Amino acid sequence: MKKYLTLENGDVFVGEASGDTAAEVEGELIFTTSMTGYQETVTDPSYTGQIICFTYPLIGNYGISKDVSQSKEIAPTAVVASEIEKHPYHYESVISMDDFLKEKHVPAITGIDTRELTKVIRKHGTMAANLTNHPVSKSLNDNNEKILSKIKLASMSTSNNSQTDHVVLIDFGVKNNIIKCLQDLDVDVTVVAPDVTFEDIEQLNPTGILISNGPGDPTEYTSFLPVIRKLQDNYPLLGICLGNQLLALANGAKTYKMTFGHRGINHPVKNLETGKIYITSHNHGYAVDADSIKNTPLKITEVEVNDGTVEGLRLPGKPVFSVQYHPEAAPGPHDATKIFNDFINIMHESEGVK
Amino acid sequence: MPKRKDIKKIAIIGSGPILIGQAAEFDYSGSQACLSLREEGYKVILINSNPATIMTDDDIADKIYLDPLTLPSLKKIMRKERPDAILPTLGGQTGLNLAVELSKDGILDELGIELLGTNLHTINQAEDREAFKELMEKLGEPIPDSLTVHDYKSGFNFAHKIGYPVIIRPAYTLGGTGGGIAKNDKELDFILNRGLTMSPTTECLVEKSIAGFKEIEFEVMRDHAGNSIIVTGMENFDPVGIHTGDSIVFAPTQTLTDTEYQRLRDASLKIVNALKIEGGCNVQLAQDPNSEQFYVIEVNPRVSRSSALASKATGYPIAKIAAKIAVGLTLDEIINPITKTTYAMFEPALDYVVAKIPRFSFDKFTNADRKLGTQMKATGEVMAIGRNIEESLIKAVQSLELNKKLQNNLVSEDDAKLSLPDLLKKIQTGTDVRLFGIFTAMAKGATIEQIHASTKIDPFFLSKMQNIMYLHKKLQSGELTADLLEQARKYGFDNEMIKTIHPISDEDLAKLDKLADQHLVYKMVDTCAAEFESKTPYYYSTIGSENESKPIGNSILVIGAGPIRIGQGVEFDYATVHCVKAIQAAGYNAIIINNNPETVSTDFSISDKLYFEPLTIDSVMHVVDLEKPLGAIVEFGGQTAINLTEGLTKHGVKILGTSLEGIEATEDRHDFEQLEIKQNIAHPAGNTAVDIPDAIKIADKIGYPVLVRPSFVLGGKGMAIVHNQDELIAYIKPALKNSNGKPTLIDQYIPGTECEVDILCDGNQVFVPGIMEHLEGAGVHSGDSIAMYPPQHLTDKQKIQIVDIATKIGHETHCVGMMNVQFIATNKQIYVIDVNPRASRTVPFMSKITKMHLAQLATQMILGKSLKDLSLKPGLYPEPKKVYVKAPVFSFTKLPGAPTALSPEMKSTGEDIGSGDTLQEAIHNALFDSYHIDSSKKSGPVILSAHDFENTKLVNQLKQVGFEPQKFVSEDKMPKDITFVLDSADDTDDEKLLASIALSHQIPLFTAQDTVKGIFQPQPQFQNRA
């Protein structure tokens, strides 16, 4: 069965239907260069509303296993790959990638020249696209729907380990591994939705706050910025990905949309304070404007080696910092998991100060 | 940190002659490193005794020593040159070991020479089994349990402690013979006792067997600041148990989940950080396919064959970056030479699949044990790039140049004759041709489960092979539709393959291809999966909708030599690279097509454009159709390129240099005979036979002994001297069967002095750089002979005759470029025995001596220059006063069971050079790295086989020189401190045993009487053997 991927700029790619072959969807077309971890990738809520193209041609080689999904759902509206494996053999595999897509009603297109598609995105930037079962002639409009309304937000949930460290995690579309990384360090985590108030959080009596990753344009979340300003004055705080951008916005900096973003697990990030470089997992289409930081109390702590993108911020004098990349990996390298230890250390230090 | 300014002069030790396990990859890494250091402004001193290398070219290093790789020789150079530092991790195990020796000697401290890069303590920690074990335990990284035992009881107890299966590895036996895997007490009883008996030190390692685990390799880079990255992960198709050099390998890893991949990545980085590696490092790991358990197998703290493969697979130049790290630069300071916009501190993202298949030379070593294990046996490898497993695997198969029919049909005729149960049993053992055995089993209906049960190969890979066989079946039985053809194209099937399976014309295929949605296009290798714009001139073909390769224009196509095998070694890559340099100097763009990941020619920075493709007529024509080059040059790519000439000419490609007619005039027996008769050139009497009665008649007419060989040969494949009719029939039967209808040649056998010349011809005049005389007489392949230049035993008259004949042949064939002519000189007559219409393996040797880049000069002639334009005088180039010797190097220790006696069938894998004021001195210098003997020691016992001991003249000569010749009786009756062994036949058990003892005890071994006779002369001169 044929499938049609029609891009905002008028390009059409015709391939084979895979996954849920009947479904027709639209989304923002992006690409990721990671060669492993397709399951973690497609279940990462930050991809909500996007059509994800894998540059690595073989997706699904080792099937889908029980424990590595980053959320319950497949976040992107569709998947583009050169091949999606129907018969995996891994001992942990419970279902094939193709069947996983079917089960979650997510369509996919295979057999197209994904390198050509990637170059279109590189050249023209991420753009709207739709995936249909028949050729479509209408040109597409930018997808104006609010992303926030699409993601399923966590109702308040508490993990009850009654540990001394207690992090309230504000969930804009959190990846499970962020929670797991904290729990592995014996931290109690309470997940709350972003419509939470400062007072709600205070009542939970946290020792630290984590602002999670999430999809979309950070400037759409302005209503939450006053809460961050209060939080950063009162608690140790770590922002990850969208959390990094929101911390920047809350302190008066600006964000911008990147041409095609950083999506992959091979990005070098340099810590300007230690000189150390880590290979990190990335998924962001927006970034913090470095120039705009000058007029804020924030300090840039980390940058991407190749293009200088802001990858980390700190609020001097306060136990508040954030990273643009994904220290929790899943998928990707563990070079920066130490960030969670740093966070706990900061919590402990500031407790001592209190 | 910026680069170091306190050092100015750096010495690099090369890896020496090509051996199995240490081959052309070190020429690639070494030359990259030299250039990289010079780019940073350092002066580079290079020591390597292997002349057939790009790294020993005058424009690669500031000073080159073609000297023996021994401690005394290196110390002499160190004293003379006084470098500030040595970079030891780029010359393979040889370079590393010598650096360790130099350090232990104390000379480095004495002269204040620093070792750059990874330090010696680290190297020891990685290479010493016990130190490594200790480090892994300290780091908490798992390694398989093992224990060295000297008696059965300890071995038995240990096996019970760790549980079966266990591997038993006897110490110091040839190729690990006597070892094996025991799954129970009974097997242990047999194998351990055998191993202890066979080991000269009664020593065996008993180790937990992890055979069947997935074998994974990581190529890691780390700088002195501790920044580290993985260049790529690679997954072996063959599970643990077969040496990675002998395994089919895919990059990136294919069957590991991200969790597994990151776990192994973490372990690799932890180890590399603990070892404080500065440069490149290879980590080999084993992953249990059924649990989280993994083991660290081994760490190589230097660039390696795997790093060369990883460089070509990703585009990330490991050796080049490693050299920059060694002088203090950090990864974030080094620009990624591929993108030129990003830095070396990142991990390449691939958007394609790479397959590597090892190339074995068992076609030469017919009796060798083809079973693959922990001892590497491959002489070379091919790499192919595609967008899926099927495509890259099939393209790699097409690159192997094994057997056209098998490569095209995939199903092995021999295996097809077996019953399925027998075939499933056969493929339990890894061999060079198991891949085809698996294809055949699938064709016979075997399931993935059955094959997995036999081979332990991951079902993921087997399922891809089965996809190929499903398609094969459809092609065979059904109608060839456009859809089916498009699927075949996506799996990498070229016209020849399809035509073999489904008879159809090229024209009809072209019509069907036009109907497809996607077509053959070229994609760029860019390290970043198209994320950043790159301008790398490095391409591979695949099926897609966008072609990224734009014709470069004003171009000349150079056909490479493909995988390294016996008879077609690194010399041809050397010539290819020089051809490219001359093309560029003449103002044209040079395009290379080649498929060998180990070599310099497939570095994207060498040519203006590199196509990493099979060297088949179909894939070359695709490139031609796109690039429309001015012409193609085939003279430098060995027999691989010559064999494509006919097809290229047929397709209308202009062959630059000697034309197809000229090539055929030398390769077609009948044509060449006409030429010789016309020009009154003597040649051994002979004729061609197409059947047995014919052969008997011809041999009777010529008189025995006769030399028999197939026409269109490479490295004397299948040549033999037969002494009577029985031997003739025994030879000719299989030879005719394997010749694809081409006749067998039968020649008069003439004893005399063998010599050869490479000629350069502009189509008009002929230049002869020099005559090389062979120490061994006819009957020993020229590639296995010790060659001497200038010739030591030819009269002036003989030399003039040789040059005259060579000139005539050049004229008659309208040679443009290079040609190689081989002679036998007797007192009465000069005979021509062979002509190769192309650059030969002696080109680098003569180039290094004459300091003329012969392949470049030849290329200039191909491009239209005359001898006069190049200031070359016709005739023989003046001979030097110094004497130069080229000596062969054998890899017998790696190939148990392979014939060792020198014969018309070539056996050597590499060569070295020695020079001196006298022949004796030159031979003395050449023998260190070839026969591993100090020929100035003319005393002590020498052991001769019974057959050799019968030669009383030779025995007397050896006595006269000062040796104590003894006849071989048995191993326990051998004296200590044997100077060398002579064993020139390998027919009897005793002869085989003697060779094996010499090899396993590292006693210098000669396998031709002529070699010993020639080297150990009672006085400096010796008689003309004719």
Side-chain angles (χ1 to χ4, degrees):
Chain A
M1 187 185 153
K2 292 252 179 287
K3 204 87 184 178
Y4 299 82
L5 179 67
T6 309
L7 276 55
E8 191 184 341
N9 74 349
D11 287 354
V12 181
F13 289 80
V14 185
E16 291 299 313
S18 208
D20 185 335
T21 52
E24 295 186 317
V25 296
E26 55 185 25
E28 182 194 30
L29 182 63
I30 52 97
F31 69 83
T32 177
T33 62
S34 50
M35 299 182 285
T36 54
Y38 49 84
Q39 183 181 352
E40 293 88 330
T41 300
V42 296
T43 53
D44 173 354
S46 292
Y47 286 108
T48 302
Q50 294 177 325
I51 295 176
I52 186 164
C53 169
F54 286 95
T55 63
Y56 188 66
L58 305 182
I59 295 304
N61 290 7
Y62 48 82
I64 297 293
S65 61
K66 267 201 312 231
D67 299 324
V68 303
S69 284
Q70 293 305 303
S71 67
K72 287 200 183 96
E73 300 303 322
I74 291 180
T77 58
V79 169
V80 182
S82 188
E83 272 185 33
I84 294 176
E85 184 61 57
K86 290 187 166 69
H87 306 290
Y89 284 91
H90 199 276
Y91 79 100
E92 283 183 312
S93 173
V94 288
I95 183 175
S96 76
M97 175 68 173
D98 191 52
D99 287 338
F100 185 47
L101 290 165
K102 277 190 175 73
E103 195 183 281
K104 302 287 183 186
H105 307 295
V106 175
I109 179 172
T110 59
I112 65 164
D113 188 335
T114 47
R115 184 171 165 93
E116 183 183 16
L117 179 64
T118 303
K119 285 168 71 186
V120 171
I121 302 169
R122 178 183 88 202
K123 205 169 153 200
H124 302 288
T126 52
M127 63 178 96
N130 60 11
L131 192 62
T132 56
N133 299 327
H134 301 285
V136 284
S137 53
K138 66 160 187 164
S139 67
L140 294 145
N141 293 318
D142 218 341
N143 178 16
N144 282 326
E145 238 179 306
K146 292 263 185 266
I147 293 280
L148 196 56
S149 64
K150 282 193 187 172
I151 60 161
K152 251 193 206 145
L153 296 167
S155 54
M156 201 177 293
S157 71
T158 311
S159 65
N160 215 348
N161 298 330
S162 48
Q163 302 288 335
T164 44
D165 296 318
H166 176 214
V167 167
V168 168
L169 188 150
I170 299 151
D171 177 13
F172 289 88
V174 70
K175 280 169 69 186
N176 284 344
N177 219 47
I178 294 181
I179 301 170
K180 189 168 173 290
C181 280
L182 289 171
Q183 288 174 340
D184 285 350
L185 295 167
D186 290 335
V187 176
D188 216 2
V189 182
T190 302
V191 181
V192 299
D195 54 1
V196 72
T197 63
F198 177 73
E199 290 70 27
D200 291 339
I201 294 171
E202 253 187 330
Q203 278 188 4
L204 292 167
N205 210 13
T207 54
I209 307 293
L210 193 144
I211 306 175
S212 86
N213 63 302
D217 184 346
T219 57
E220 287 179 18
Y221 299 86
T222 42
S223 62
F224 187 69
L225 298 181
V227 183
I228 294 184
R229 283 191 282 266
K230 273 191 205 162
L231 287 170
Q232 72 183 20
D233 285 340
N234 291 284
Y235 297 102
L237 184 149
L238 168 63
I240 291 177
C241 200
L242 179 72
N244 176 62
Q245 295 160 2
L246 295 181
L247 182 69
L249 292 173
N251 286 282
K254 288 194 176 97
T255 56
Y256 63 94
K257 187 171 187 183
M258 304 165 81
T259 316
F260 54 86
H262 286 177
R263 291 177 190 89
I265 58 178
N266 64 344
H267 286 270
V269 165
K270 185 170 191 161
N271 185 315
L272 299 174
E273 291 169 342
T274 63
K276 272 278 190 192
I277 303 171
Y278 305 101
I279 300 294
T280 53
S281 179
H282 282 223
N283 173 18
H284 61 107
Y286 290 82
V288 173
D289 180 354
D291 285 340
S292 73
I293 295 290
K294 281 176 201 151
N295 308 317
T296 73
L298 293 168
K299 207 181 150 205
I300 299 173
T301 52
E302 296 179 83
V303 293
E304 212 266 1
V305 173
N306 287 316
D307 61 11
T309 307
V310 175
E311 292 293 337
L313 297 168
R314 194 158 62 81
L315 195 57
K318 295 221 168 89
V320 172
F321 71 113
S322 61
V323 290
Q324 183 60 60
Y325 53 86
H326 290 268
E328 79 284 4
H334 302 149
D335 294 16
T337 40
K338 196 177 87 40
I339 291 290
F340 294 103
N341 298 81
D342 292 349
F343 183 42
I344 290 167
N345 289 340
I346 282 179
M347 284 194 282
H348 291 175
E349 278 165 26
S350 57
E351 223 150 73
V353 174
K354 267 185 193 174
Chain B
M1 193 180 96
K3 69 190 174 214
R4 289 177 58 175
K5 300 224 166 64
D6 57 329
I7 47 175
K8 291 186 172 59
K9 201 190 224 184
I10 302 170
I12 290 186
I13 306 169
S15 66
I18 304 280
L19 287 165
I20 289 176
Q22 185 166 284
E25 62 270 17
F26 295 106
D27 186 29
Y28 164 61
S29 57
S31 53
Q32 280 295 298
C34 290
L35 291 171
S36 177
L37 292 176
R38 290 181 83 195
E39 198 174 272
E40 298 297 332
Y42 298 98
K43 214 173 155 191
V44 176
I45 309 299
L46 178 74
I47 309 115
N48 195 353
S49 60
N50 182 355
T53 47
I54 290 293
M55 74 191 297
T56 52
D57 271 352
D58 45 19
D59 52 352
I60 301 290
D62 295 278
K63 196 137 185 211
I64 291 138
Y65 287 89
L66 284 161
D67 283 10
L69 294 171
T70 60
L71 185 62
S73 147
L74 284 169
K75 279 173 75 176
K76 215 165 108 192
I77 296 166
M78 291 302 132
R79 285 197 193 285
K80 192 175 160 213
E81 289 291 340
R82 294 186 173 259
D84 300 305
I86 296 178
L87 181 48
T89 47
L90 293 154
Q93 201 61 43
T94 300
L96 204 52
N97 290 350
L98 283 164
V100 173
E101 276 186 56
L102 282 168
S103 166
K104 279 189 185 150
D105 177 81
I107 187 169
L108 299 185
D109 289 341
E110 181 198 324
L111 300 178
I113 302 172
E114 183 186 342
L115 283 178
L116 293 180
T118 305
N119 70 43
L120 290 185
H121 175 67
T122 289
I123 288 165
N124 182 55
Q125 259 187 319
E127 301 214 324
D128 178 87
R129 193 185 281 278
E130 285 307 313
F132 181 69
K133 205 169 154 180
E134 219 170 273
L135 178 73
M136 290 307 110
E137 276 161 11
K138 202 176 106 196
L139 294 175
E141 295 298 341
I143 50 170
D145 285 327
S146 67
L147 185 72
T148 300
V149 301
H150 291 91
D151 61 277
Y152 178 77
K153 187 103 208 303
S154 323
F156 178 87
N157 289 343
F158 185 70
H160 275 241
K161 196 181 135 202
I162 60 174
Y164 290 111
V166 295
I167 301 184
I168 296 109
R169 302 178 199 271
Y172 310 106
T173 65
L174 192 57
T177 41
I181 296 177
K183 290 183 234 42
N184 51 50
D185 284 357
K186 202 178 146 204
E187 287 175 5
L188 182 81
D189 188 57
F190 177 70
I191 300 169
L192 185 55
N193 278 319
R194 177 182 68 186
L196 289 168
T197 313
M198 286 180 80
S199 166
T201 50
T202 325
E203 180 181 323
C204 282
L205 184 81
V206 180
E207 187 180 67
K208 170 102 192 152
S209 168
I210 49 170
F213 275 39
K214 297 176 184 185
E215 187 164 348
I216 308 292
E217 287 183 83
F218 280 93
E219 290 302 318
V220 190
M221 300 294 295
R222 181 182 178 276
D223 64 25
H224 75 97
N227 299 314
S228 44
I229 58 140
I230 304 289
V231 175
T232 188
M234 295 184 277
E235 179 166 357
N236 288 11
F237 167 89
D238 300 287
V240 172
I242 294 179
H243 192 287
T244 177
D246 284 356
S247 293
I248 295 171
V249 173
F250 288 93
T253 59
Q254 300 295 329
T255 72
L256 297 185
T257 65
D258 186 62
T259 312
E260 288 171 333
Y261 181 93
Q262 302 303 339
R263 194 184 292 129
L264 299 185
R265 183 184 179 279
D266 288 347
S268 302
L269 292 181
K270 193 167 162 193
I271 293 165
V272 166
N273 276 313
L275 287 170
K276 296 194 172 59
I277 297 283
E278 292 181 24
C281 184
N282 162 269
V283 183
Q284 294 177 18
L285 307 120
Q287 172 67 52
D288 184 351
N290 297 309
S291 81
E292 287 188 356
Q293 182 66 55
F294 76 93
Y295 292 104
V296 180
I297 306 174
E298 153 179 336
V299 172
N300 291 301
R302 54 174 173 84
V303 302
S304 62
R305 180 186 46 264
S306 294
S307 66
L309 178 64
S311 294
K312 299 295 166 67
T314 60
Y316 191 104
I318 293 174
K320 195 173 180 172
I321 306 289
K324 295 207 189 294
I325 289 174
V327 294
L329 290 165
T330 52
L331 284 163
D332 59 319
E333 292 172 332
I334 305 165
I335 291 282
N336 171 2
I338 287 255
T339 59
K340 298 212 165 79
T341 54
T342 55
Y343 292 91
M345 180 68 207
F346 83 111
E347 299 195 343
L350 278 56
D351 58 0
Y352 48 80
V353 179
V354 170
K356 175 212 91 172
I357 305 184
R359 175 64 157 82
F360 299 87
S361 293
F362 290 121
D363 47 341
K364 298 272 169 196
F365 294 124
T366 38
N367 293 325
D369 182 4
R370 299 170 86 129
K371 208 168 105 192
L372 305 180
T374 48
Q375 171 72 64
M376 183 171 163
K377 292 180 178 177
T379 55
E381 59 194 35
V382 298
M383 183 182 105
I385 313 176
R387 296 263 295 168
N388 54 51
I389 302 280
E390 295 88 342
E391 184 184 29
S392 55
L393 184 67
I394 289 297
K395 282 176 75 179
V397 166
Q398 289 303 310
S399 305
L400 280 171
E401 289 180 66
L402 273 180
N403 169 332
K404 244 318 20 131
K405 202 169 167 194
L406 182 60
Q407 284 169 216
N408 283 332
N409 193 41
L410 305 175
V411 174
S412 153
E413 282 179 2
D414 290 340
D415 288 344
K417 286 178 199 146
L418 299 175
S419 70
L420 187 54
D422 284 350
L423 183 53
L424 287 170
K425 190 151 190 261
K426 187 182 169 190
I427 58 176
Q428 283 177 1
T429 308
T431 66
D432 55 320
V433 288
R434 176 161 76 170
L435 182 71
F436 299 101
I438 297 171
F439 276 130
T440 310
M442 286 174 169
K444 289 171 94 80
T447 62
I448 291 174
E449 289 70 26
Q450 281 174 313
I451 296 171
H452 173 68
S454 281
T455 62
K456 298 284 175 286
I457 293 168
D458 196 282
F460 171 80
F461 294 118
L462 296 177
S463 75
K464 301 298 175 186
M465 288 178 72
Q466 197 162 57
N467 289 344
I468 293 169
M469 290 319 286
Y470 283 149
L471 184 86
H472 188 279
K473 200 171 173 187
K474 273 193 212 161
L475 283 172
Q476 219 166 23
S477 46
E479 187 197 346
L480 184 53
T481 61
D483 278 351
L484 185 59
L485 181 60
E486 191 175 356
Q487 190 55 51
R489 295 301 190 199
K490 285 192 169 182
Y491 283 181
F493 283 44
D494 66 5
N495 280 12
E496 275 197 59
M497 259 186 104
I498 293 167
K499 283 172 358 191
T500 306
I501 303 162
H502 184 113
I504 185 170
S505 69
D506 285 333
E507 293 70 30
D508 287 345
L509 278 176
K511 273 182 213 157
L512 284 172
D513 274 329
K514 281 220 173 79
L515 299 173
D517 292 331
Q518 294 181 9
H519 302 97
L520 188 133
V521 295
Y522 293 97
K523 298 282 184 196
M524 188 191 278
V525 172
D526 63 3
T527 71
C528 61
E531 185 172 8
F532 306 104
E533 198 178 342
S534 303
K535 302 216 155 44
T536 343
Y538 180 3
Y539 294 91
Y540 67 96
S541 70
T542 187
I543 302 301
S545 48
E546 186 201 24
N547 176 42
E548 297 183 352
S549 177
K550 303 282 167 284
I552 192 169
N554 190 37
S555 65
I556 291 170
L557 185 64
V558 181
I559 313 285
I564 289 185
R565 64 213 95 156
I566 289 182
Q568 190 162 303
V570 68
E571 301 86 352
F572 297 91
D573 198 72
Y574 167 91
T576 301
V577 171
H578 278 273
C579 173
V580 164
K581 286 184 179 184
I583 290 170
Q584 290 172 329
Y588 302 99
N589 289 314
I591 300 172
I592 289 187
I593 308 182
N594 204 358
N595 53 38
N596 183 342
E598 303 175 293
T599 54
V600 178
S601 74
T602 51
D603 183 327
F604 66 86
S605 65
I606 291 293
S607 55
D608 296 291
K609 212 164 187 180
L610 167 67
Y611 285 95
F612 216 105
E613 290 287 293
L615 289 165
T616 60
I617 191 70
D618 287 327
S619 69
V620 174
M621 281 314 298
H622 281 301
V623 172
V624 168
D625 290 341
L626 174 71
E627 293 286 349
K628 304 205 167 38
L630 301 168
I633 296 182
V634 295
E635 282 178 33
F636 302 98
Q639 206 61 33
T640 300
I642 290 293
N643 289 345
L644 286 169
T645 314
E646 193 184 338
L648 290 172
T649 306
K650 250 190 215 158
H651 283 88
V653 180
K654 189 172 176 197
I655 301 298
L656 302 175
T658 311
S659 67
L660 178 65
E661 293 75 50
I663 290 169
E664 283 181 341
T666 65
E667 295 229 318
D668 183 285
R669 174 75 178 196
H670 181 72
D671 291 356
F672 191 63
E673 216 172 77
Q674 291 302 311
L675 186 154
E676 288 178 312
I677 292 165
K678 190 177 147 202
Q679 287 299 322
N680 203 16
I681 298 168
H683 59 276
N687 213 330
T688 56
V690 287
D691 57 34
I692 296 172
D694 218 16
I696 295 171
K697 225 191 292 166
I698 295 163
D700 282 342
K701 201 175 149 201
I702 297 166
Y704 290 96
V706 291
L707 198 64
V708 281
R709 60 192 162 128
S711 50
F712 283 84
V713 293
L714 169 71
K717 186 185 163 194
M719 227 188 267
I721 301 163
V722 298
H723 298 85
N724 52 50
Q725 191 167 318
D726 288 348
E727 282 182 24
L728 179 73
I729 293 168
Y731 170 88
I732 211 114
K733 256 191 187 164
L736 286 170
K737 200 179 127 204
N738 293 326
S739 66
N740 293 333
K742 294 213 165 114
T744 298
L745 314 177
I746 302 174
D747 283 314
Q748 176 191 2
Y749 172 68
I750 300 164
T753 306
E754 274 208 27
C755 48
E756 66 181 297
V757 297
D758 293 308
I759 63 170
L760 277 78
C761 187
D762 58 12
N764 201 5
Q765 290 183 305
V766 173
F767 171 71
V768 181
I771 302 169
M772 288 157 278
E773 179 189 333
H774 297 166
L775 184 77
E776 290 86 350
V780 172
H781 189 277
S782 63
D784 289 348
S785 296
I786 291 181
M788 303 169 278
Y789 172 76
Q792 301 292 302
H793 309 93
L794 293 178
T795 62
D796 286 347
K797 195 181 150 204
Q798 284 177 314
K799 288 184 195 170
I800 291 167
Q801 281 178 304
I802 286 168
V803 173
D804 278 352
I805 295 170
T807 305
K808 274 184 197 167
I809 294 172
H811 279 157
E812 279 301 306
T813 55
H814 305 286
C815 167
V816 180
M818 286 202 105
M819 206 169 256
N820 169 270
V821 189
Q822 308 204 356
F823 303 90
I824 299 177
T826 69
N827 287 338
K828 292 183 210 136
Q829 195 55 284
I830 306 286
Y831 297 88
V832 169
I833 49 171
D834 201 9
V835 179
N836 295 302
R838 51 170 173 80
S840 76
R841 85 175 55 78
T842 48
V843 169
F845 174 68
M846 285 306 291
S847 298
K848 296 289 149 81
I849 298 166
T850 58
K851 305 225 181 318
M852 289 188 285
H853 292 305
L854 299 176
Q856 290 193 37
L857 291 169
T859 305
Q860 285 178 282
M861 292 178 201
I862 289 169
L863 299 176
K865 288 270 196 295
S866 67
L867 251 61
K868 207 178 153 204
D869 294 336
L870 301 168
S871 313
L872 295 173
K873 276 198 193 134
L876 186 64
Y877 184 69
E879 290 175 350
K881 284 215 180 78
K882 264 185 112 166
V883 184
Y884 298 86
V885 161
K886 175 171 91 76
V889 181
F890 302 91
S891 300
F892 294 140
T893 47
K894 314 276 179 179
L895 297 163
T900 48
L902 299 193
S903 72
E905 182 94 60
M906 185 168 163
K907 295 181 176 65
S908 58
T909 51
E911 70 206 37
D912 79 342
I913 189 172
S915 61
D917 294 330
T918 63
L919 175 63
Q920 286 308 312
E921 191 187 338
I923 287 182
H924 179 244
N925 283 333
L927 290 182
F928 284 111
D929 294 336
S930 56
Y931 284 99
H932 299 286
I933 188 169
D934 180 349
S935 63
S936 63
K937 187 195 168 197
K938 291 192 166 114
S939 59
V942 296
I943 308 298
L944 277 63
S945 71
H947 163 74
D948 292 305
F949 203 75
E950 279 169 21
N951 186 338
T952 42
K953 211 175 139 196
L954 177 65
V955 171
N956 286 335
Q957 182 186 326
L958 291 172
K959 280 183 187 158
Q960 220 181 322
V961 170
F963 295 113
E964 304 151 33
Q966 295 180 22
K967 185 168 133 183
F968 174 67
V969 188
S970 67
E971 186 170 7
D972 41 326
K973 292 213 174 108
M974 281 173 79
K976 280 205 171 80
D977 302 319
I978 299 165
T979 309
F980 67 81
V981 163
L982 170 63
D983 188 15
S984 75
D986 45 24
D987 301 323
T988 67
D989 286 348
D990 264 5
E991 286 159 357
K992 285 177 189 157
L993 178 63
L994 177 57
S996 152
I997 293 168
L999 292 168
S1000 56
H1001 289 77
Q1002 279 131 33
I1003 303 166
L1005 170 68
F1006 293 100
T1007 59
Q1009 292 188 359
D1010 279 357
T1011 316
V1012 170
K1013 232 189 284 177
I1015 294 169
F1016 301 105
Q1017 294 281 314
Q1019 63 266 357
Q1021 287 126 24
F1022 62 101
Q1023 319 293 306
N1024 192 329
R1025 288 185 309 270

